[in-house]
Amino acid sequence: MTAAPPTNRIGLTLSDYKGAPSTLCDGCGHDAITSQIIRAFYELGIEPHNVAKMSGIGCSSKTPAYFLNRAHGFNSVHGRMPSVATGAALANKHLHLIGVSGDGDTASIGLGQFCHLVRRNIPMIYIVENNGVYGLTKGQFSATADIGSKLKTGVMNELPPIDLCGLAIELGCGFVGRSFAGDPRQLQALIKAAASHKGTAVLDVISPCVTFNNHEGSTKSYKYAKEMETPLHELGFIPFYEQINVDYEPGTVQEVEMHDGSKIRLKKTERDYDATDMVGAIQTIKKAHDEKQFLTGLLYINENKDDFVSMMDTVDESLATLPESMTRPGKDVLESIMKELM
Amino acid sequence: MNTLALDSKEKTGKNVVNDFSIQVATVNGSGSQSSNNVLMRSIFQMGIPVSGKNLFPSNIAGLPTWFTIRVNKNGYIARKKHIDIMIAMNPQTAIEDVKGLNPGAVCISPIELKLDAVRSDVRHYQVPFAELASKASDNMKLRKLLTNMIYVGVVADLLNIDQAQIDIAITKQFDGKAKAIDLNLNAVKIGREWARENLKKVDQYSVEPMDKTQGKIIIDGNAAAGLGCMFAGVTVVTWYPITPSSSLCESLIDYLKEHRIDKASNKATFAVIQAEDELAAVGMALGAGWAGARSMTSTSGPGISLMSEFVGFGYFTEIPTVIFDVQRVGPSTGMPTRTSQADLMSTFLLSHGDTKHICLLPGSVQECYEMATEAFQIAEMFQTPVFVMTDLDLGMNNWMSEPFKYPTTPINRGKVLTAADLEKAGKFERYADVDGDGIPYRTLPGTDHPLGAYFTRGSGHTAKATYTEKPEDYLYLMDRLAKKFETAKKHVPAPVVDTVSGAKVGIIAFGSSDFAVQESRDQLKEKGLATSYLRLRALPFTAELKQFVDAHDVVYVVEQCRDAQLRDLIRLELPESSMKFKSVLHYNGLPIDADFVTEAIIKGEGK
Ligand SMILES: Cc1ncc(C[n+]2csc(CCOP(=O)(O)OP(=O)(O)O)c2C)c(N)n1
Ligand code: SF4
Ligand SMILES: [Mg+2]
């Protein structure tokens, strides 16, 4: 007799959070991120049917098919996932939205929509699986490629990269993290924390493309990222239903309370980083670029921002399924409008 | 002297009652809109059919603008080609304006413009507006505005417009604001009294009370469509401003704020987003439609072009939403404040790949209202983007109409399966043709059932919504979509057909051309040419089209575009009849008029 598989707090097993088998290249960073999404949602005990998985177009954008089979998925058009997510969020404010995009999908064709999603603060997790290239169209540079990074063909990138984290902070995003597909612990903690954030949570995750951008001379390869990754802090996430109190040496831990009562603990490493300081965060990102450092962790958090859906001040029920009695005014209303027009 | 009789010895001619057009030439941003509305409403309130058209530039202030009021006892409300009474208030255009008049027409103008020197064969009334305005107010800025009401007073005296109706119209226009009402009423009085004392009537036009507008309303097509959306139960509205569609969403927003706040919670039963562009607007509308909302967006040609990729996606993945296209002259920025029907073909076939869409074609403000409501039903029934195509003339101009009727059919959300339905069925395939009508079943995100979820993708998909590149799967999908389109033919608004027995000539038109065609048919009849008429109200075509074409020897397709787009679509549908069609094409940016249609058909018939 085999033992029953373990279950989470709502009685579901890990495989209830899985999706269809991946069709990506073996070793693709995107698959590693998928695994952490599955883990994080399982461990948090989020009802999968209440999740909506959104994406654009690209290898990365295919991945929502590979997790949370019990959630509706929406593979939209290239670069336009933000608008679709915005509409879905307004139609049903009880959905948990998770979006997966690529650096091409977000930083090139979709940059405008990304900016406006962040500006509106649409409640969702927005993961950019960043490999510095367009994987699906066979390895052209994307707008996040670093200056001096080389394609396999030897072509060198000469344009400066767009830093999506810096941009998100600039646009007022209340949750911005950067991680690496090869750092599962940190990534998982960030995804869990992002799931508790009420507003847009942007995670820029370096996710090597083993087929087109994992060679010597690439700054988005496993080797480069592994060697260069410098975590800003050690990151712990304590969900609201699991409050444990641990005493830390004063001054070594920054604790941030999330909207739902969950907590993020940021344990200091050698550097003293304050994730609630917006200007400091932008400075750190700029400096890291100049010094060719690869900093990961929770770059910025602000739990006190209104999200767009709350600002709309709609009824508690989801707009999608309101009954006719709430959406069609009575005959008297039409008649009085007609009188005024006579 | 202020009154100048005609040079010619011709007398005033016979009286013309309730059948003429007035054009007011002003500068945009000068505040003449309220006066023009008051003028139009006063006549309307006297029971006389009217229509109003604003011909305005793509500019905020300082460029010429013309407002035309057609007064017609027979109820013709299309544009009238010739102006009978010109109120030439704009010095920039006055000379051109008066030159464009027919001999014998009337011209009211500021005395200092000396327009009598330009045309001596026109009946002039020259008015010292500046002097009169100084009596109306001490404030220079107000004087400019009140000058507009002074011409209302002058015209009221000349045409014999009932003062009581002017009082009512002004009270309505200024929404009970006592001070504004007083000032404006006084200005009208100044104009009227001056005219009475100083002008000798030398023209033949006047109004007399009738009973033809009793119970009727005046509204523009955009507000009418906005009302339709509200009563359709729209819940998510997305838009990006563009003339001539902006006022559709703007009036909808006003209606929603007033009538769609839940009384119990004091919260909104709708959400409105002003998107960053039309691409995002339609993406949001599709996202909302996918998640189950009644969603819509509204735009004009340039926005439609931007929406192209997403609309194909919506067609292929089967997501309901409603898109209004209030057409203007293109291509590109074209003439953004002029009217057109030239988006028809590109919108019908919008996007790449094999795509075709349901398009509703309202032909009156009443239909703007009704078809707006209808569009949401059809979109959800057929799970597809549905277009409602109006135009600037219908959308932004004021039209007289019967009051709108309250919807009689309950809101139908289409084939949506709940968790309980899934439990009963024990099976769910998102893209399977279960009922044989080509329309599949869908579930909404958030459905709490293990069978509930599916994956929406713009790539090839099987009946189970999984990825596929297999030829047979793609064929199944595309053929089912075609079948669904066939089914739609039974549900879209049927054409309105008036077959005249013995008539060999048929006319086909749609949208705002209807007013001109109706009037033209009467003109043709007077000239001894009987015509039948089919007014198209939707694409795809329905069976009535073939019957109509088959029943006539020659069919004139009247449309407001250069390339005979509707005629070509009909030819594709009925290739065997393709030699029967002749085109009447009006595409100079002005609304089509009856004389134009009549002349073209008379010429075509060799009469
Ligand atoms: C409108 C449009 N233009 C171009 C493409 C082709 N295309 C598909 S994916 C892609 C780039 C994807 O890059 P990225 O988002 O970085 O995803 P990755 O494959 O690297 O994960 C492009 C250009 C498309 N699908 N749609
Ligand atoms: S091409 Fe690159 S990004 Fe795409 S699946 Fe393969 S490794 Fe991943
Ligand atoms: Mg990429």
Side-chain angles (χ1 to χ4, degrees), chain A residues 30 60 102-105 129-136 142 144 209:
Chain A
H30 302 347
S60 36
D103 43 320
D105 199 61
E129 302 188 339
N130 187 348
N131 52 19
V133 288
Y134 297 170
L136 195 59
S142 85
T144 64
C209 168

Side-chain angles (χ1 to χ4, degrees), chain A residues 75 90 324 328-329 340 342, chain B residues 41 172 231 406 411 456:
Chain A
N75 201 180
L90 286 173
E324 181 167 336
R328 176 173 280 172
E340 279 194 7
M342 279 177 190
Chain B
R41 281 211 79 98
K172 198 173 179 118
F231 284 97
Y406 194 69
I411 289 174
T456 300

